[in-house]
Amino acid sequence: KNEVEQSPQNLTAQEGEFITINCSYSVGISALHWLQQHPGGGIVSLFMLSSGKKKHGRLIATINIQEKHSSLHITASHPRDSAVYICAPRRGSNYKLTFGKGTLLTVNP
Amino acid sequence: DTGVSQDPRHKITKRGQNVTFRCDPISEHNRLYWYRQTLGQGPEFLTYFQNEAQLEKSRLLSDRFSAERPKGSFSTLEIQRTEQGDSAMYLCASSFDRGQFSGNTIYFGEGSWLTVV
């Protein structure tokens, strides 16, 4: 069983739709990252959270430590949001992250 | 601040050859990480450095792989006697940490793509 499960694996949306990507993990963690990866490789850290909720622009990330679950929401989605979104729990104080396989999001105009 | 730089971005090599990748982290970052990513998968941890000390190595890092960070700044990842299974993207990342969970974020490079033919 993978330590990190993301759903859905692929998601196609129309511009303007509300997007939700889910992440479940099976181990205790100190924090969880949501990362964005564009074609060609570059990875950007969107959020790091250990409890509650964080918001940055149209992006919202929530985490429930007891349920070992996190969600990434995108409001008013736009074609430029098209990318792979990766959930990566962090154990301990270093960045030995465990990555999910990612969710490929395609937002059509 | 130019971010995390990796070189080369792409490398095609014949099986059995040696390859070396370089990573230049953000200048004040004391921690440097190497990850490997294959198509359709999330990155997998390979190793990390705190300054010049290599503190942890994954079991994925066979004896053909070696990583160094000699002066606590740039790092190299060398793969000897490459095999087709080594074909992947090798990602470098860096962060600044004071030993305890400081809440600082991690910055990734663009990755170095390796194709072994």
Side-chain angles (χ1 to χ4, degrees), chain B residues 51-101:
Chain B
N51 299 313
E52 66 276 7
Q54 188 174 19
L55 296 188
E56 190 169 348
K57 291 171 61 174
S58 163
R59 285 171 291 181
L60 293 173
L61 221 61
S62 75
D63 56 5
R64 296 185 298 104
F65 288 71
S66 62
E68 295 182 342
R69 194 184 183 197
K71 297 181 180 178
S73 56
F74 74 92
S75 175
T76 57
L77 176 68
E78 182 183 16
I79 308 173
Q80 296 182 324
R81 305 182 302 282
T82 52
E83 301 172 357
Q84 287 187 323
D86 298 331
S87 296
M89 180 169 67
Y90 292 85
L91 279 163
C92 177
S94 71
S95 69
F96 179 73
D97 289 87
R98 294 184 183 87
Q100 297 298 317
F101 176 63

Side-chain angles (χ1 to χ4, degrees), chain A residues 37 45 48 90 95-96 99, chain B residues 33 35 37 56 101 103-104:
Chain A
Q37 185 171 31
S45 178
M48 180 178 65
R90 165 176 161 161
Y95 276 101
K96 183 185 172 183
F99 294 81
Chain B
Y33 301 80
Y35 292 88
Q37 186 177 24
E56 190 169 348
F101 176 63
N104 286 335

